[in-house]
């Protein structure tokens, strides 16, 4: 009995000697072979550092041609890409079904009532299966987002419209149990389908969750300090962890802050509180990153889009300098939380802007030892439908080129392309 008691005391002392982060890292290292883990502020793969340049490609599961999927992954692998981020959702209304069947549009959910119907057939999740399988063949891991804050490809407002009806605010997606239940039902479907696959890098709760959406506004219950999004992040990350003890989990958020003294700027003679720092978006990056089942931080960066009133000819606003400051703020937060950091989306329109500004952003990210994923990866030479196909919205293959939203980087844009291939080489050296 005395030996047992001494053993218990010894184990307790060891546990107390480990910080909470160290204990989390100890647990994460006991995962199956090929699963990515964390150690402090760094990712690891099978006990070795895993530094990477990744690629955003939401359109990849939308391709009808397996040969084009293979071609895209081959191009990614040649560029040194180690992680792909794509949508784990594609939902349509029942009224769109006939058109989807005719056009070959990928879809995973059909909404015709307050319940969605799963499509796990050859035009549905079997396409996502193929993407994840092919990623593994090319030594690439996949981040899957469970839903979208925005309307594109069936996001939060599809749930709201079918379940809660008209006249609601966007933020009820995060609080209404009637909506959370079918969201979790879909999450369970995706996680259970792939939770044993080492090809999955991480689960992402939502792409760019905010209090407001494309169409629906934020309600009075989702304002700075109400913690609607932090509570939802906690609830859903705990739920995902209950389904999958091994894969990493992250928010997919843009990295908005809720600072007691937010950044301010002058516009038209008025001092404006900055949306990215005042909590109005709903996130609290510093707090969200401390959640026990959020394994690493994500943030996005689009200063041209976010500050059109400041980014004008003759203005003293610098897109480049703003971006460096945004990077630094997230690095400080991640270091404080002792968790890894991923600059998950960033983009600029205009090829000259890309070649002039991306080098300093990429250098700052790599100097501070975190991973990057530009928005977005482009490829050429796609062949389905002769290389020309309207997918949905304005997303289209044109002359063999993947969809271009103005931020896309293609292999023939060598000055911009080489920024990321060279960065991938640096990250690969750090992973040895």
């Amino acid at each position: 009995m005395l030996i047992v008691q001494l053993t218990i005391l010894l184990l307790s002392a060891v546990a107390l000697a480990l910080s909470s982060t160290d204990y989390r890292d100890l647990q994460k290292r006991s995962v199956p072979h090929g699963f990515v883990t964390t150690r402090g502020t760094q990712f690891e793969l099978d006990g070795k550092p895993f530094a990477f340049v990744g690629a955003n490609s939401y359109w990849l599961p939308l391709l009808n041609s397996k040969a084009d999927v293979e071609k895209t992954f081959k191009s990614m692998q040649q560029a040194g890409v180690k992680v792909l981020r794509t949508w784990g959702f594609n939902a349509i209304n029942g009224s769109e079904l006939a058109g989807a069947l005719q056009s070959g549009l990928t879809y995973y959910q059909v909404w015709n009532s307050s319940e969605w119907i799963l499509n796990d057939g050859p035009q549905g999740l079997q396409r996502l299966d193929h993407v994840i399988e092919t990623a593994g063949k090319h030594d690439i891991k996949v981040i899957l987002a469970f839903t979208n804050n925005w309307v594109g490809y069936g996001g939060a407002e599809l749930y709201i419209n079918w379940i809660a009806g008209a006249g609601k605010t966007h933020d009820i997606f995060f609080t209404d149990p009637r909506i959370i239940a079918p969201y979790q039902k879909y999450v369970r479907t995706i996680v259970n389908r792939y939770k044993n696959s080492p090809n999955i890098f991480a689960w992402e709760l939502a792409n760019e969750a905010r209090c407001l959406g494309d169409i629906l506004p934020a309600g009075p219950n989702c304002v700075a300090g109400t913690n609607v999004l932090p509570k939802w992040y906690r609830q859903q990350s705990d739920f995902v962890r209950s389904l999958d003890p091994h894969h990493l989990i992250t928010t997919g958020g843009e990295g908005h802050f809720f600072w007691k003294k937010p950044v301010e700027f002058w516009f038209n003679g008025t001092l404006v509180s900055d949306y990215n720092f005042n909590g109005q978006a709903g996130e609290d990056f510093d707090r969200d990153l401390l959640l026990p089942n959020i394994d690493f931080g994500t943030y996005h960066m689009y200063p041209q889009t976010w500050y059109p009133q400041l980014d004008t000819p003759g203005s003293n606003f610098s897109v480049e300098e703003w971006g460096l400051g945004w990077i630094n703020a997230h690095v400080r937060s991640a270091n404080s939380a002792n968790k890894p950091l991923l600059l998950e989306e960033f983009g600029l329109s205009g090829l000259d802007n890309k070649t002039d500004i991306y080098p300093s952003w990429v250098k700052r990210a790599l100097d501070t030892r975190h991973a990057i994923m530009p928005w977005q990866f482009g490829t050429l030479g796609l062949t389905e439908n002769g290389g020309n196909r309207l997918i949905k919205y304005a997303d289209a293959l044109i002359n063999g080129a993947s969809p271009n939203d103005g931020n896309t980087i293609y292999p023939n844009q060598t000055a911009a392309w080489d920024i990321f291939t060279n960065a991938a080489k640096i990250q690969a050296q750090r992973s040895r």
Side-chain angles (χ1 to χ4, degrees):
M1 180 65 72
L2 179 60
I3 293 174
V4 172
Q5 289 175 334
L6 289 173
T7 302
I8 292 172
L9 287 172
L10 179 61
L11 290 173
S12 299
V14 170
L16 287 172
L18 291 169
S19 71
S20 59
T21 301
D22 291 336
Y23 189 61
R24 186 187 69 240
D25 292 340
L26 186 64
Q27 289 177 311
K28 293 288 178 60
R29 288 197 294 276
S30 63
V31 302
H33 179 79
F35 284 50
V36 177
T37 60
T38 65
R39 183 194 289 266
T41 59
Q42 300 302 307
F43 296 108
E44 287 192 344
L45 177 59
D46 297 330
K48 296 181 180 179
F50 186 63
F52 64 88
V53 171
N56 280 283
S57 175
Y58 71 89
W59 46 266
L60 193 49
L62 300 172
L63 297 179
N64 292 343
S65 164
K66 290 186 176 181
D68 282 349
V69 171
E70 177 74 31
K71 179 181 180 64
T72 301
F73 274 114
K74 185 176 181 180
S75 177
M76 287 183 181
Q77 186 176 33
Q78 290 172 343
V81 168
K82 285 296 182 181
V83 179
L84 161 73
R85 176 174 176 256
T86 194
W87 299 161
F89 60 89
N90 272 299
I92 61 173
N93 288 301
S95 59
E96 301 175 272
L97 181 57
L101 293 172
Q102 184 176 9
S103 69
L105 177 69
T106 302
Y107 67 97
Y108 309 147
Q109 293 168 287
V110 181
W111 287 88
N112 244 337
S113 67
S114 59
E115 290 287 337
W116 51 265
I117 298 172
L118 184 71
N119 176 19
D120 61 356
Q123 200 172 321
L125 284 175
Q126 288 181 27
R127 286 187 179 166
L128 188 58
D129 295 343
H130 180 68
V131 166
I132 292 171
E133 179 184 354
T134 308
K137 286 173 52 181
H138 292 275
D139 198 27
I140 293 172
K141 297 190 180 295
V142 181
I143 297 175
L144 281 183
F146 294 132
T147 194
N148 199 358
N149 190 71
W150 315 113
V151 169
Y153 296 100
E157 293 187 6
L158 205 56
Y159 285 84
I160 295 168
N161 291 338
W162 278 106
I163 296 169
K168 305 299 182 181
T169 57
H170 179 83
D171 53 284
I172 69 164
F173 177 81
F174 307 108
T175 59
D176 190 328
R178 297 174 301 165
I179 294 173
I180 291 172
Y183 165 82
Q184 289 188 339
K185 179 183 175 183
Y186 185 69
V187 168
R188 185 189 299 274
T189 299
I190 296 298
V191 171
N192 285 344
R193 195 175 185 96
Y194 304 118
K195 69 180 181 181
N196 296 318
S197 172
N199 298 346
I200 297 295
F201 179 92
W203 307 117
E204 191 165 281
L205 303 180
N207 174 54
E208 300 187 336
R210 291 194 195 184
C211 287
L212 54 76
D214 293 287
I215 300 171
L216 299 179
N221 294 324
C222 197
V223 296
T226 55
N227 296 321
V228 167
L229 276 179
K231 290 176 182 176
W232 186 81
Y233 283 155
R234 174 65 189 260
Q235 179 187 37
Q236 304 317 320
S237 60
D238 289 353
F239 174 71
V240 176
R241 179 59 69 224
S242 74
L243 302 174
D244 181 352
H246 298 314
H247 283 108
L248 301 179
I249 303 168
T250 193
T251 64
E254 295 164 282
H256 299 108
F257 292 101
F258 178 31
W259 288 357
K260 291 181 179 179
K261 294 182 178 180
V263 173
E264 298 174 319
F265 60 86
W266 287 97
F267 179 65
N268 281 347
T270 302
L271 191 61
V272 179
S273 179
D274 195 318
Y275 181 88
N276 285 307
F277 297 90
N278 66 14
Q280 187 179 349
E283 286 193 290
D284 182 348
F285 184 80
D286 298 318
R287 175 179 175 175
D288 299 339
L289 194 50
L290 295 175
L291 294 174
N293 286 314
I294 295 300
D295 296 300
F296 62 96
T298 66
Y299 69 109
H300 300 178
M301 185 163 67
Y302 295 101
Q304 284 178 318
T305 304
W306 291 346
Y307 299 96
Q309 74 277 44
L310 301 181
D311 184 30
T312 58
S315 167
N316 62 3
F317 177 77
S318 168
V319 166
E320 181 177 356
E321 289 301 318
W322 188 93
L324 293 173
W326 187 243
I327 292 171
N328 291 339
H330 288 87
V331 169
R332 289 192 296 269
S333 184
N335 287 342
S336 178
N338 198 29
K339 291 185 180 181
L341 188 60
L342 170 58
L343 176 47
E344 187 182 62
E345 286 188 26
F346 60 102
L348 292 168
S349 61
L351 185 58
D352 289 343
N353 286 326
K354 292 179 174 68
T355 55
D356 290 346
I357 296 174
Y358 280 168
S360 67
W361 286 357
V362 170
K363 183 178 185 301
R364 181 64 56 84
L366 266 58
D367 284 349
T368 51
R369 300 287 172 145
H370 67 281
I372 60 171
M373 303 182 81
W375 184 279
Q376 65 170 327
F377 182 88
T379 195
L380 302 170
L382 300 177
T383 59
E384 67 174 68
N385 201 43
N388 293 280
R389 174 185 162 224
L390 177 63
I391 299 174
K392 192 175 183 180
Y393 312 117
D395 296 336
L397 310 183
I398 300 176
N399 296 327
S402 60
N404 184 5
D405 63 355
N407 296 313
T408 307
I409 306 167
Y410 295 101
N412 60 354
Q413 297 171 326
T414 53
W417 187 264
D418 289 350
I419 296 167
F420 298 102
T421 57
N422 291 333
K425 293 173 184 176
I426 294 171
Q427 296 287 62
Q429 290 174 350
R430 292 175 175 174
S431 298
R432 292 174 179 171

